[in-house]
Amino acid sequence: MKILYYDCFAGISGDMNLGALIDLGVDKDYLIEELNKLTISQEFKIKIQTKQKMGITGTKVDVILENKHGHVHGQEYEHKHEHTDTHTHNHEHRNLNSIYKIIDESNLNENVKKLSKDMFLAVAKAEAKVHGKSIEKVHFHEVGAVDSIVDIIGAAICIDNLKVDRIMSSTVELGGGFVKCAHGIIPVPAPATTEILTNIPIHMGKVNSETTTPTGAAILKTIVNEFTDKIDFKIVKIGYGLGTKDFEIPNVLRAFLGEVDDKVKDVQTMLEINIDDMNSELFGYIEDKLFENGALDVYKTPIIMKKGRPAIKLSVLVDSTSLHKIENVLLVETTTLGLRKYTVEKVMLDREFITLSTKYGDIPIKKGLLDGKVIKMKPEYEVCKRLATEHEIPIRTIYDEIYKLT
């Protein structure tokens, strides 16, 4: 099993994340080529350099915005547009739909599109709660700027390219002090960052500055399977993404690529409740809410309780990042007065992800491997469903085409 582990001892930002993943092996030219697929590609260029922070050599990534009145020096691995300036932020405000439009109109693969959207959705939910607005009416400020859009979509491109089986992170350092944003001077961590990282282990105060940005928080929230300070794998490679600021500690994001031998093992938690006194119509609503809050699997089993009462056992599989939220959903939304939970260990096949090009469109395929051999594969259902609807054909036609090509 291939593992990506984030060591966020100095926090995480969008540019630090890109630097760390490039340092781990994502090809610079590939990243730039993929970012060129965006409709806003004329608005920025990318500069990627090898630099040092307090004696640590790593990768520094700068997203440089286009300006007709200036030029940028340094041509190594740059997005090829001539007229730029070195401002790293603009203040164009975009809502979630306009950002989704940028993503949907690109030729990026479906996995990258989904990851990108999920990251922006994490920010939108946080901003909506902080500002008391609906998700649709929230206008992003810093995260709606071109450089942050590139940071998030770039993160999705890199994660997709690394093709790891599991992503983990250490406790996240948030920093301290105050930071200037679109709304004025606010305390660190910024409200949106705090909201995004709810139920995620954090540290504060290691430095008197912002170390984790909303962009960095949204990336972690979306992709990390487990937050733990325990490293239990063989380290294969180490990458460093350099930040812009200078602290008393190195302002770098350290990332490890690791390997675990044997079949993929994953420790998760099973939550169970027995229900014999609830309107059965509510189960569908509760199930949707469980998935929205991070449940990995939800299923119902008919049972007979004491005194011959028919009932439903509701079982929910969850990982450590969503455990508290799922417990709250079960206790608040159902009639139960308590729940059972126990640790389960899943043994899974190694996974490999590819994108299959068909005459109906690109379809992500998940392969299951045993001892390095592919023994089964599964197309992404939601993509097949969407393509069948778009082409007005039976979904089995999509599946037939996939099996024909594989």
Side-chain angles (χ1 to χ4, degrees), residues 261-311:
D261 296 329
D262 204 1
K263 299 180 181 68
V264 178
K265 292 183 179 179
D266 195 5
V267 176
Q268 296 166 349
T269 300
M270 183 68 78
L271 302 176
E272 291 180 349
I273 59 174
N274 294 343
I275 299 288
D276 67 347
D277 59 350
M278 190 177 79
N279 183 345
S280 60
E281 292 179 341
L282 302 181
F283 278 106
Y285 168 82
I286 292 167
E287 185 172 321
D288 289 342
K289 194 143 191 178
L290 289 168
F291 281 120
E292 287 171 8
N293 281 274
L296 302 174
D297 194 12
V298 180
Y299 60 92
K300 300 176 284 291
T301 308
I303 59 173
I304 301 297
M305 292 175 57
K306 62 185 178 182
K307 300 181 182 179
R309 294 199 301 264

Side-chain angles (χ1 to χ4, degrees), residues 358-398:
T358 76
K359 61 184 178 182
Y360 302 111
D362 289 347
I363 301 173
I365 306 289
K366 179 164 55 179
K367 294 182 177 181
L369 293 85
L370 182 63
D371 298 327
K373 296 180 180 178
V374 177
I375 63 171
K376 58 188 67 176
M377 64 178 185
K378 180 181 179 183
E380 180 61 47
Y381 167 74
E382 291 295 337
V383 176
C384 294
K385 175 183 172 183
R386 176 177 59 78
L387 292 175
T389 302
E390 288 176 0
H391 291 278
E392 298 182 340
I393 56 176
I395 193 168
R396 66 176 179 275
T397 304
I398 301 289

Side-chain angles (χ1 to χ4, degrees), residues 137-152:
K137 291 185 178 179
V138 164
H139 279 73
F140 297 115
H141 297 287
E142 281 75 13
V143 182
V146 170
D147 54 340
S148 293
I149 292 174
V150 172
D151 285 343
I152 288 179

Side-chain angles (χ1 to χ4, degrees), residues 166-180:
R166 185 166 180 79
I167 302 176
M168 304 163 71
S169 172
S170 68
T171 300
V172 185
E173 173 62 40
L174 303 187
F178 293 84
V179 65
K180 186 176 182 181

Side-chain angles (χ1 to χ4, degrees), residues 109-111 160 353-357 362-365:
N109 72 48
E110 292 297 329
N111 188 46
D160 177 71
F353 299 89
I354 64 168
T355 300
L356 184 67
S357 294
D362 289 347
I363 301 173
I365 306 289

Side-chain angles (χ1 to χ4, degrees), residues 56-204:
I56 297 176
T57 301
T59 299
K60 180 73 175 71
V61 175
D62 291 298
V63 180
I64 304 170
L65 306 184
E66 180 186 52
N67 186 303
K68 294 181 181 179
H69 304 295
H71 298 269
V72 172
H73 300 289
Q75 297 300 315
E76 184 184 7
Y77 292 107
E78 290 188 0
H79 193 81
K80 299 297 189 269
H81 294 301
E82 294 182 359
H83 303 297
T84 61
D85 67 12
T86 55
H87 295 300
T88 57
H89 282 86
N90 68 10
H91 293 287
E92 180 176 353
H93 297 175
R94 292 181 169 92
N95 61 20
L96 191 62
N97 285 337
S98 64
I99 291 176
Y100 277 9
K101 188 168 184 283
I102 291 171
I103 296 168
D104 287 332
E105 289 180 348
S106 74
N107 290 322
L108 296 167
N109 72 48
E110 292 297 329
N111 188 46
V112 170
K113 288 182 179 180
K114 183 181 186 305
L115 272 177
S116 301
K117 288 181 177 181
D118 287 348
M119 291 177 195
F120 278 110
L121 182 60
V123 180
K125 287 180 176 178
E127 293 279 7
K129 186 167 183 181
V130 169
H131 299 299
K133 296 182 179 180
S134 68
I135 290 177
E136 294 76 21
K137 291 185 178 179
V138 164
H139 279 73
F140 297 115
H141 297 287
E142 281 75 13
V143 182
V146 170
D147 54 340
S148 293
I149 292 174
V150 172
D151 285 343
I152 288 179
I153 298 176
I157 292 168
C158 291
I159 291 296
D160 177 71
N161 181 254
L162 282 176
K163 290 180 170 50
V164 295
D165 302 295
R166 185 166 180 79
I167 302 176
M168 304 163 71
S169 172
S170 68
T171 300
V172 185
E173 173 62 40
L174 303 187
F178 293 84
V179 65
K180 186 176 182 181
C181 73
H183 298 288
I185 305 294
I186 58 174
V188 171
T193 302
T194 309
E195 191 62 40
I196 293 168
L197 294 179
T198 300
N199 297 318
I200 289 174
I202 62 167
H203 286 309
M204 290 180 63

